Amino acid sequence: MVQPLVNAGRIEDGTVLEFRPVTRPERREMADWLEEEPDRLRAIWRNTKTNQLPLQADGKTYSPSGLVKMIRQQASGVEQHAQGTRHWHVPGEGSLADHAAKGPRRKWPGRGR
């Protein structure tokens, strides 16, 4: 679901994304860990083929799902895959999954689309 976002240019490079736990257990298990360091809640979107999200807390880059998996593991000890596009949100505009469902936003120069 991430590659269509990149290809369609739905989200501008440099857009700040917010992490939002999706399920009740995630909200309960992750709350304290996320509040300890608010930068854990933010990543910057990059329109690249892999690892689109540099996390502000550690500067490393992750895929949306890989970052959610890392956050879950560190916050609650649970190692489980996740649909990262449901967890990362453009403030006031919805999740990455919401953006992917909308289709193309604009054409990228030089991509012939």
Side-chain angles (χ1 to χ4, degrees):
M1 188 175 291
V2 174
Q3 206 56 54
L5 283 170
V6 171
N7 292 340
R10 284 291 316 154
I11 302 169
E12 294 288 333
D13 276 337
T15 298
V16 176
L17 303 180
E18 295 176 347
F19 176 79
R20 297 186 187 160
V22 174
T23 66
R24 190 173 300 132
E26 284 178 343
R27 287 188 290 273
R28 183 180 60 246
E29 294 168 359
M30 296 179 180
D32 291 341
W33 186 84
L34 291 168
E35 288 174 12
E36 285 174 9
E37 191 174 338
D39 280 346
R40 293 174 175 162
L41 293 165
R42 290 184 290 282
I44 307 296
W45 177 259
R46 296 180 325 152
N47 282 297
T48 59
K49 291 184 179 187
T50 60
N51 297 340
Q52 297 80 12
L53 301 181
L55 183 63
Q56 288 188 343
D58 67 9
K60 296 179 183 176
T61 58
Y62 303 87
S63 68
S65 295
L67 185 49
V68 172
K69 182 179 177 182
M70 184 276 294
I71 287 171
R72 275 184 175 172
Q73 197 281 324
Q74 289 190 10
S76 63
V78 174
E79 190 164 333
Q80 180 180 0
H81 292 283
Q83 185 181 350
T85 55
R86 292 179 58 220
H87 291 77
W88 289 99
H89 291 251
V90 177
E93 296 183 21
S95 70
L96 295 180
D98 295 334
H99 279 270
K102 293 176 186 175
R105 178 170 136 180
R106 66 176 175 82
K107 296 178 183 176
W108 286 95
R111 289 208 178 164
R113 291 183 160 247

